[in-house]
Amino acid sequence: MAAPSARPARPAQPLPLDGITVVAVEQAVSAPFATRQLADLGARVVKLERPDGGDFARGYDTAAGGLASHFVWANRGKESVAVDLKDPRGRELVERLVADADVFVQNLAQGAAARLGLDAASLCARHPRLVAVDISGYGAQGPYAHKRAYDMLVQCEAGLVSVTGTAEQPVKAGIPAADIAAAMYAFSGVLAALLRRGSTGRGGPVEVSMLDALAEWMGHPLHHTMHGGEQPARTGLGHAVIAPYDAYPTAGGGRVLLSVQNDREWRRLAEQVLGQPELADDPAFATNAARTANREKTDAVVAAALGGLEADTAIAALEAAGIACARLNTVAGLAGHPQLAARDRWREVGSAVGPLRALLPPIVLPGGPEPLMGAVPALGEHTGAVLRALGMSDAQIDGLRRDGVIA
């Protein structure tokens, strides 16, 4: 069965990035996730991949019906062109694509794009209207510039792992937080640069590093440590400076999370859920500072009250008292979450293995058309069509394919 087209039929009303063309030399998560946001908002994204296997994220697993889950998540709605960038004929094809593009994005190893003449500075010098994005691990200068950067490593360098986990065991985030952070700053950087181009007529380079992006996300513990002189402790599901704020066991084996953000909420919790109104004025519990200092006693009081309730009953009681709460959900639970279903957040996207469920993007533009959630491209699926659009004949394309320049 032939793989479906990457892009569904365009809506009658244009999307915000309709008419914008993006060329990307990308792999793994950071750049692909950034350009997927652009594709969802209407941009045409041409993904350039190696002929011998393509984006290595294609091989991470086979969990999505035989396709890699990372790749399915980050690459829908793109056109895949398989081209050898090390061959001068391949680079010439890329130059022709970039000449007509609005945006170029790359996250090759530090220095690799510059050797190919595809770094942001070089491209913008040749194409003044182009917005060109370099995504790196640690930035273009400094002692870490050429250090290999994978998500887990950057999570460690940025200090995220030092504040995540339990007192006994630091852990990395269960999602690629450094990659996602860099992707979202690259995405917003492109939008800002396109907006600037609208008034100046010039594009320009955009630089994003994974370390810079995640360091920004470390704002609370960073400022707490720099200005308070003490690093927040790892508290598992708890919070270093708020109590009660944790997951508590309920009857039947479930766990319910709650967060008390101020002393008024504590009073309501004590009176309406804990059944101990005297705790609202008890000096050991009356203020957040006191509850945090007496965290073990605070948690014990809450756990004793919730431990005799079924999870649904505990949630109902907390909500009736106006206390923020949640269930400790699983990934499967997220896939079946009633709130996502009630808001019609699920769609299907095409792929070589058939339709796959996917969430609508988080950006909602009421009154406008839905995002373009195109198909997940097969490796090189659009090579021929893209090169024909450049004016190449079938004979020329066949010759490049025989020589291994394209696939």
Side-chain angles (χ1 to χ4, degrees), residues 336-345:
H337 203 291
Q339 183 69 2
L340 296 175
R343 296 179 60 237
D344 193 27
R345 298 297 298 165

Side-chain angles (χ1 to χ4, degrees), residues 59-371:
Y60 279 170
D61 59 61
T62 58
L67 303 180
S69 51
H70 277 86
F71 191 87
V72 166
W73 165 52
N75 289 283
R76 65 171 181 244
K78 303 178 185 180
E79 301 172 28
S80 172
V81 173
V83 57
D84 183 359
L85 298 180
K86 295 181 179 179
D87 190 297
R89 293 168 292 177
R91 288 199 298 278
E92 194 272 333
L93 293 176
V94 176
E95 280 292 335
R96 292 172 64 179
L97 286 170
V98 171
D100 292 328
D102 300 282
V103 178
F104 180 85
V105 180
Q106 68 85 18
N107 69 328
L108 299 177
Q110 184 63 36
R115 290 192 293 272
L116 296 169
L118 297 177
D119 58 295
S122 298
L123 287 174
C124 290
R126 299 197 296 273
H127 308 284
R129 283 184 54 80
L130 183 71
V131 173
V133 184
D134 289 339
I135 301 176
S136 66
Y138 297 102
Q141 295 84 37
Y144 278 48
H146 292 276
K147 190 176 178 68
R148 293 177 72 87
Y150 297 127
D151 178 81
M152 181 266 289
L153 306 178
V154 178
Q155 285 194 39
C156 290
E157 290 285 356
L160 175 60
V161 174
S162 76
V163 297
T164 304
T166 66
E168 296 76 24
Q169 180 63 49
V171 299
K172 71 177 182 64
I175 58 172
D179 283 322
I180 295 171
M184 298 314 292
Y185 284 115
F187 169 51
S188 56
V190 167
L191 299 182
L194 287 174
L195 188 63
R196 180 184 61 188
R197 189 183 74 170
S199 59
T200 67
R202 298 182 68 86
V206 175
E207 297 182 7
V208 175
S209 86
M210 294 164 67
L211 179 64
D212 290 349
L214 200 55
E216 172 66 22
W217 283 16
M218 288 290 291
H220 160 248
L222 181 61
H223 283 273
H224 188 280
T225 302
M226 289 191 303
H227 304 304
E230 184 177 338
Q231 172 166 316
R234 291 189 302 272
T235 55
L237 288 171
H239 195 289
V241 295
I242 300 174
Y245 188 121
D246 212 324
Y248 301 92
T250 58
R255 283 207 284 176
V256 167
L257 295 92
L258 66 86
S259 170
V260 169
Q261 295 284 308
N262 55 61
D263 299 336
R264 296 185 305 278
E265 291 183 1
W266 170 252
R267 178 175 293 276
R268 294 201 303 271
L269 180 71
E271 292 174 349
Q272 301 178 40
V273 180
L274 304 183
Q276 299 185 63
E278 68 278 6
L279 295 181
D281 298 310
D282 188 321
F285 302 100
T287 66
N288 182 65
R291 292 190 298 275
T292 301
N294 294 287
R295 184 185 301 275
E296 289 187 9
K297 291 182 179 179
T298 302
D299 285 341
V301 167
V302 176
L306 298 186
L309 304 175
E310 296 289 339
D312 288 346
T313 305
I315 290 286
L318 291 165
E319 289 180 343
I323 305 300
C325 57
R327 290 172 175 81
L328 185 58
N329 218 342
T330 62
V331 178
L334 173 63
H337 203 291
Q339 183 69 2
L340 296 175
R343 296 179 60 237
D344 193 27
R345 298 297 298 165
W346 292 102
R347 296 293 182 272
E348 285 189 341
V349 299
S351 78
V353 298
L356 298 168
R357 286 179 80 203
L359 279 168
L360 279 166
I363 296 174
V364 178
L365 302 174
E370 276 200 359

